[in-house]
Amino acid sequence: FIADITFEKSNPIFQKKQNKSIDICLLNHGGIRSIIPKGNVTARNAYEVQPFENSAVVIGLKAEQILEICNYIVSEKKPHPLAGMTFTIAKDNSVKNIIIQGKPIENHKTYYVLTSDYLSNGGDNMVFFKKSVENYDLDYKLRNIIIDYFKDVDTLKINNDIRITKE
């Protein structure tokens, strides 16, 4: 949910500023500090969920780093928020069938990955972000993304798409 709304609110800004589209959103499980309760939600809930001052940044990565992201997720065994990409974990724990925005990964393409400034600097050992070929600061706090989403919708919609499958 957090990756989906972060993607949804940030992509129009990135498109307007850079004339490019975000492909993937990857955040960290540890950055989410509370649940969103049933019932009315407020800015206070957003502060509880995202108490940090992290900003949204877009990092240009090559296919090699996208594979590193997948391997990181497999090795960490944590439900890191992910949007825009799916993949399969093979029986031997290797990664296969990487699909980005509905298309198989392309080796020579630059993919635009939305994340936090904390992670883009290698936080949580996400060192693949330090291999970026492009960096864009959206000047948009992750907490404000949540608050803006709460303002825009009457009922929170949860997408239950399966993004990572295991053989």
Side-chain angles (χ1 to χ4, degrees), residues 135-153:
N135 294 293
Y136 305 95
D137 187 343
L138 298 185
D139 194 30
Y140 198 7
K141 298 253 185 252
L142 295 180
R143 175 189 319 109
N144 292 345
I145 290 170
I146 298 170
I147 291 169
D148 290 347
Y149 182 81
F150 287 172
K151 289 177 185 174
D152 289 348
V153 299

PDB file of all heavy atoms in Angstrom, residues 135-153:
ATOM      1  N   ASN A 135      20.263  10.749 -10.485  1.00  0.00           N
ATOM      2  CA  ASN A 135      19.616  10.994  -9.185  1.00  0.00           C
ATOM      3  C   ASN A 135      18.737  12.230  -9.281  1.00  0.00           C
ATOM      4  O   ASN A 135      19.181  13.261  -9.794  1.00  0.00           O
ATOM      5  CB  ASN A 135      20.661  11.257  -8.093  1.00  0.00           C
ATOM      6  CG  ASN A 135      21.515  10.052  -7.810  1.00  0.00           C
ATOM      7  OD1 ASN A 135      21.025   9.073  -7.301  1.00  0.00           O
ATOM      8  ND2 ASN A 135      22.788  10.124  -8.168  1.00  0.00           N
ATOM      9  N   TYR A 136      17.528  12.111  -8.759  1.00  0.00           N
ATOM     10  CA  TYR A 136      16.595  13.238  -8.759  1.00  0.00           C
ATOM     11  C   TYR A 136      15.907  13.319  -7.398  1.00  0.00           C
ATOM     12  O   TYR A 136      15.288  12.349  -6.957  1.00  0.00           O
ATOM     13  CB  TYR A 136      15.510  13.056  -9.835  1.00  0.00           C
ATOM     14  CG  TYR A 136      16.067  12.835 -11.217  1.00  0.00           C
ATOM     15  CD1 TYR A 136      16.242  11.551 -11.716  1.00  0.00           C
ATOM     16  CD2 TYR A 136      16.423  13.917 -12.022  1.00  0.00           C
ATOM     17  CE1 TYR A 136      16.757  11.342 -12.996  1.00  0.00           C
ATOM     18  CE2 TYR A 136      16.938  13.718 -13.297  1.00  0.00           C
ATOM     19  CZ  TYR A 136      17.100  12.428 -13.766  1.00  0.00           C
ATOM     20  OH  TYR A 136      17.615  12.229 -15.019  1.00  0.00           O
ATOM     21  N   ASP A 137      16.004  14.451  -6.758  1.00  0.00           N
ATOM     22  CA  ASP A 137      15.309  14.685  -5.489  1.00  0.00           C
ATOM     23  C   ASP A 137      13.968  15.328  -5.819  1.00  0.00           C
ATOM     24  O   ASP A 137      13.924  16.378  -6.449  1.00  0.00           O
ATOM     25  CB  ASP A 137      16.134  15.598  -4.587  1.00  0.00           C
ATOM     26  CG  ASP A 137      15.548  15.752  -3.194  1.00  0.00           C
ATOM     27  OD1 ASP A 137      14.355  15.440  -2.984  1.00  0.00           O
ATOM     28  OD2 ASP A 137      16.294  16.190  -2.301  1.00  0.00           O
ATOM     29  N   LEU A 138      12.872  14.701  -5.407  1.00  0.00           N
ATOM     30  CA  LEU A 138      11.546  15.233  -5.708  1.00  0.00           C
ATOM     31  C   LEU A 138      11.115  16.313  -4.733  1.00  0.00           C
ATOM     32  O   LEU A 138      10.080  16.937  -4.928  1.00  0.00           O
ATOM     33  CB  LEU A 138      10.506  14.107  -5.726  1.00  0.00           C
ATOM     34  CG  LEU A 138      10.715  13.012  -6.777  1.00  0.00           C
ATOM     35  CD1 LEU A 138       9.544  12.034  -6.749  1.00  0.00           C
ATOM     36  CD2 LEU A 138      10.895  13.600  -8.165  1.00  0.00           C
ATOM     37  N   ASP A 139      11.899  16.531  -3.672  1.00  0.00           N
ATOM     38  CA  ASP A 139      11.565  17.537  -2.662  1.00  0.00           C
ATOM     39  C   ASP A 139      10.144  17.314  -2.129  1.00  0.00           C
ATOM     40  O   ASP A 139       9.328  18.232  -2.063  1.00  0.00           O
ATOM     41  CB  ASP A 139      11.731  18.945  -3.242  1.00  0.00           C
ATOM     42  CG  ASP A 139      11.732  20.014  -2.152  1.00  0.00           C
ATOM     43  OD1 ASP A 139      12.167  19.709  -1.027  1.00  0.00           O
ATOM     44  OD2 ASP A 139      11.272  21.144  -2.428  1.00  0.00           O
ATOM     45  N   TYR A 140       9.870  16.064  -1.773  1.00  0.00           N
ATOM     46  CA  TYR A 140       8.537  15.647  -1.322  1.00  0.00           C
ATOM     47  C   TYR A 140       8.744  14.627  -0.209  1.00  0.00           C
ATOM     48  O   TYR A 140       9.270  13.541  -0.438  1.00  0.00           O
ATOM     49  CB  TYR A 140       7.798  15.023  -2.508  1.00  0.00           C
ATOM     50  CG  TYR A 140       6.301  14.885  -2.426  1.00  0.00           C
ATOM     51  CD1 TYR A 140       5.531  15.412  -1.404  1.00  0.00           C
ATOM     52  CD2 TYR A 140       5.630  14.191  -3.440  1.00  0.00           C
ATOM     53  CE1 TYR A 140       4.157  15.269  -1.384  1.00  0.00           C
ATOM     54  CE2 TYR A 140       4.250  14.048  -3.438  1.00  0.00           C
ATOM     55  CZ  TYR A 140       3.516  14.590  -2.405  1.00  0.00           C
ATOM     56  OH  TYR A 140       2.154  14.446  -2.387  1.00  0.00           O
ATOM     57  N   LYS A 141       8.382  14.980   0.997  1.00  0.00           N
ATOM     58  CA  LYS A 141       8.558  14.085   2.146  1.00  0.00           C
ATOM     59  C   LYS A 141       7.623  12.881   2.015  1.00  0.00           C
ATOM     60  O   LYS A 141       6.462  13.015   1.616  1.00  0.00           O
ATOM     61  CB  LYS A 141       8.257  14.813   3.449  1.00  0.00           C
ATOM     62  CG  LYS A 141       9.191  15.986   3.700  1.00  0.00           C
ATOM     63  CD  LYS A 141      10.168  15.654   4.776  1.00  0.00           C
ATOM     64  CE  LYS A 141      11.025  16.836   5.117  1.00  0.00           C
ATOM     65  NZ  LYS A 141      12.381  16.696   4.647  1.00  0.00           N
ATOM     66  N   LEU A 142       8.120  11.708   2.380  1.00  0.00           N
ATOM     67  CA  LEU A 142       7.300  10.500   2.314  1.00  0.00           C
ATOM     68  C   LEU A 142       6.039  10.651   3.166  1.00  0.00           C
ATOM     69  O   LEU A 142       4.961  10.219   2.763  1.00  0.00           O
ATOM     70  CB  LEU A 142       8.105   9.275   2.751  1.00  0.00           C
ATOM     71  CG  LEU A 142       9.278   8.897   1.843  1.00  0.00           C
ATOM     72  CD1 LEU A 142       9.982   7.676   2.390  1.00  0.00           C
ATOM     73  CD2 LEU A 142       8.844   8.679   0.410  1.00  0.00           C
ATOM     74  N   ARG A 143       6.170  11.272   4.299  1.00  0.00           N
ATOM     75  CA  ARG A 143       5.010  11.496   5.168  1.00  0.00           C
ATOM     76  C   ARG A 143       3.975  12.371   4.478  1.00  0.00           C
ATOM     77  O   ARG A 143       2.778  12.119   4.549  1.00  0.00           O
ATOM     78  CB  ARG A 143       5.445  12.144   6.482  1.00  0.00           C
ATOM     79  CG  ARG A 143       4.294  12.506   7.387  1.00  0.00           C
ATOM     80  CD  ARG A 143       4.688  13.327   8.584  1.00  0.00           C
ATOM     81  NE  ARG A 143       5.919  12.927   9.228  1.00  0.00           N
ATOM     82  CZ  ARG A 143       7.063  13.628   9.183  1.00  0.00           C
ATOM     83  NH1 ARG A 143       7.139  14.763   8.526  1.00  0.00           N
ATOM     84  NH2 ARG A 143       8.130  13.203   9.811  1.00  0.00           N
ATOM     85  N   ASN A 144       4.434  13.413   3.775  1.00  0.00           N
ATOM     86  CA  ASN A 144       3.509  14.302   3.076  1.00  0.00           C
ATOM     87  C   ASN A 144       2.810  13.589   1.925  1.00  0.00           C
ATOM     88  O   ASN A 144       1.667  13.921   1.592  1.00  0.00           O
ATOM     89  CB  ASN A 144       4.232  15.549   2.592  1.00  0.00           C
ATOM     90  CG  ASN A 144       4.679  16.416   3.742  1.00  0.00           C
ATOM     91  OD1 ASN A 144       4.227  16.253   4.878  1.00  0.00           O
ATOM     92  ND2 ASN A 144       5.581  17.330   3.477  1.00  0.00           N
ATOM     93  N   ILE A 145       3.478  12.621   1.330  1.00  0.00           N
ATOM     94  CA  ILE A 145       2.834  11.810   0.297  1.00  0.00           C
ATOM     95  C   ILE A 145       1.632  11.091   0.900  1.00  0.00           C
ATOM     96  O   ILE A 145       0.538  11.084   0.317  1.00  0.00           O
ATOM     97  CB  ILE A 145       3.840  10.800  -0.314  1.00  0.00           C
ATOM     98  CG1 ILE A 145       4.883  11.550  -1.154  1.00  0.00           C
ATOM     99  CG2 ILE A 145       3.122   9.731  -1.129  1.00  0.00           C
ATOM    100  CD1 ILE A 145       6.060  10.708  -1.604  1.00  0.00           C
ATOM    101  N   ILE A 146       1.828  10.497   2.066  1.00  0.00           N
ATOM    102  CA  ILE A 146       0.737   9.782   2.736  1.00  0.00           C
ATOM    103  C   ILE A 146      -0.389  10.755   3.098  1.00  0.00           C
ATOM    104  O   ILE A 146      -1.562  10.473   2.857  1.00  0.00           O
ATOM    105  CB  ILE A 146       1.258   9.039   3.985  1.00  0.00           C
ATOM    106  CG1 ILE A 146       2.294   7.977   3.582  1.00  0.00           C
ATOM    107  CG2 ILE A 146       0.099   8.398   4.752  1.00  0.00           C
ATOM    108  CD1 ILE A 146       3.045   7.364   4.764  1.00  0.00           C
ATOM    109  N   ILE A 147      -0.035  11.892   3.659  1.00  0.00           N
ATOM    110  CA  ILE A 147      -1.041  12.894   4.037  1.00  0.00           C
ATOM    111  C   ILE A 147      -1.826  13.343   2.806  1.00  0.00           C
ATOM    112  O   ILE A 147      -3.059  13.411   2.837  1.00  0.00           O
ATOM    113  CB  ILE A 147      -0.382  14.097   4.746  1.00  0.00           C
ATOM    114  CG1 ILE A 147       0.137  13.676   6.121  1.00  0.00           C
ATOM    115  CG2 ILE A 147      -1.360  15.266   4.873  1.00  0.00           C
ATOM    116  CD1 ILE A 147       1.035  14.706   6.794  1.00  0.00           C
ATOM    117  N   ASP A 148      -1.132  13.630   1.719  1.00  0.00           N
ATOM    118  CA  ASP A 148      -1.801  14.062   0.497  1.00  0.00           C
ATOM    119  C   ASP A 148      -2.730  12.976  -0.043  1.00  0.00           C
ATOM    120  O   ASP A 148      -3.832  13.266  -0.520  1.00  0.00           O
ATOM    121  CB  ASP A 148      -0.791  14.475  -0.573  1.00  0.00           C
ATOM    122  CG  ASP A 148      -0.080  15.780  -0.222  1.00  0.00           C
ATOM    123  OD1 ASP A 148      -0.529  16.499   0.702  1.00  0.00           O
ATOM    124  OD2 ASP A 148       0.940  16.074  -0.886  1.00  0.00           O
ATOM    125  N   TYR A 149      -2.303  11.735   0.054  1.00  0.00           N
ATOM    126  CA  TYR A 149      -3.165  10.634  -0.389  1.00  0.00           C
ATOM    127  C   TYR A 149      -4.416  10.558   0.486  1.00  0.00           C
ATOM    128  O   TYR A 149      -5.525  10.408  -0.030  1.00  0.00           O
ATOM    129  CB  TYR A 149      -2.400   9.310  -0.362  1.00  0.00           C
ATOM    130  CG  TYR A 149      -3.228   8.153  -0.854  1.00  0.00           C
ATOM    131  CD1 TYR A 149      -3.387   7.924  -2.223  1.00  0.00           C
ATOM    132  CD2 TYR A 149      -3.873   7.296   0.029  1.00  0.00           C
ATOM    133  CE1 TYR A 149      -4.159   6.871  -2.684  1.00  0.00           C
ATOM    134  CE2 TYR A 149      -4.653   6.250  -0.426  1.00  0.00           C
ATOM    135  CZ  TYR A 149      -4.790   6.042  -1.783  1.00  0.00           C
ATOM    136  OH  TYR A 149      -5.568   5.009  -2.239  1.00  0.00           O
ATOM    137  N   PHE A 150      -4.236  10.666   1.788  1.00  0.00           N
ATOM    138  CA  PHE A 150      -5.391  10.645   2.705  1.00  0.00           C
ATOM    139  C   PHE A 150      -6.389  11.756   2.349  1.00  0.00           C
ATOM    140  O   PHE A 150      -7.596  11.557   2.420  1.00  0.00           O
ATOM    141  CB  PHE A 150      -4.953  10.827   4.157  1.00  0.00           C
ATOM    142  CG  PHE A 150      -4.264   9.644   4.780  1.00  0.00           C
ATOM    143  CD1 PHE A 150      -3.686   9.767   6.028  1.00  0.00           C
ATOM    144  CD2 PHE A 150      -4.183   8.410   4.143  1.00  0.00           C
ATOM    145  CE1 PHE A 150      -3.056   8.691   6.646  1.00  0.00           C
ATOM    146  CE2 PHE A 150      -3.546   7.327   4.744  1.00  0.00           C
ATOM    147  CZ  PHE A 150      -2.985   7.469   5.998  1.00  0.00           C
ATOM    148  N   LYS A 151      -5.888  12.922   1.978  1.00  0.00           N
ATOM    149  CA  LYS A 151      -6.754  14.050   1.610  1.00  0.00           C
ATOM    150  C   LYS A 151      -7.517  13.775   0.315  1.00  0.00           C
ATOM    151  O   LYS A 151      -8.638  14.255   0.134  1.00  0.00           O
ATOM    152  CB  LYS A 151      -5.935  15.334   1.436  1.00  0.00           C
ATOM    153  CG  LYS A 151      -5.404  15.914   2.713  1.00  0.00           C
ATOM    154  CD  LYS A 151      -4.543  17.136   2.396  1.00  0.00           C
ATOM    155  CE  LYS A 151      -3.883  17.708   3.622  1.00  0.00           C
ATOM    156  NZ  LYS A 151      -2.951  18.805   3.276  1.00  0.00           N
ATOM    157  N   ASP A 152      -6.895  13.024  -0.592  1.00  0.00           N
ATOM    158  CA  ASP A 152      -7.467  12.809  -1.921  1.00  0.00           C
ATOM    159  C   ASP A 152      -8.514  11.705  -2.001  1.00  0.00           C
ATOM    160  O   ASP A 152      -9.292  11.675  -2.947  1.00  0.00           O
ATOM    161  CB  ASP A 152      -6.361  12.477  -2.934  1.00  0.00           C
ATOM    162  CG  ASP A 152      -5.485  13.666  -3.265  1.00  0.00           C
ATOM    163  OD1 ASP A 152      -5.856  14.801  -2.891  1.00  0.00           O
ATOM    164  OD2 ASP A 152      -4.426  13.454  -3.878  1.00  0.00           O
ATOM    165  N   VAL A 153      -8.498  10.780  -1.062  1.00  0.00           N
ATOM    166  CA  VAL A 153      -9.412   9.637  -1.167  1.00  0.00           C
ATOM    167  C   VAL A 153     -10.342   9.558   0.034  1.00  0.00           C
ATOM    168  O   VAL A 153      -9.983   9.963   1.139  1.00  0.00           O
ATOM    169  CB  VAL A 153      -8.646   8.303  -1.327  1.00  0.00           C
ATOM    170  CG1 VAL A 153      -7.795   8.303  -2.589  1.00  0.00           C
ATOM    171  CG2 VAL A 153      -7.806   7.984  -0.123  1.00  0.00           C
TER     172      VAL A 153
END
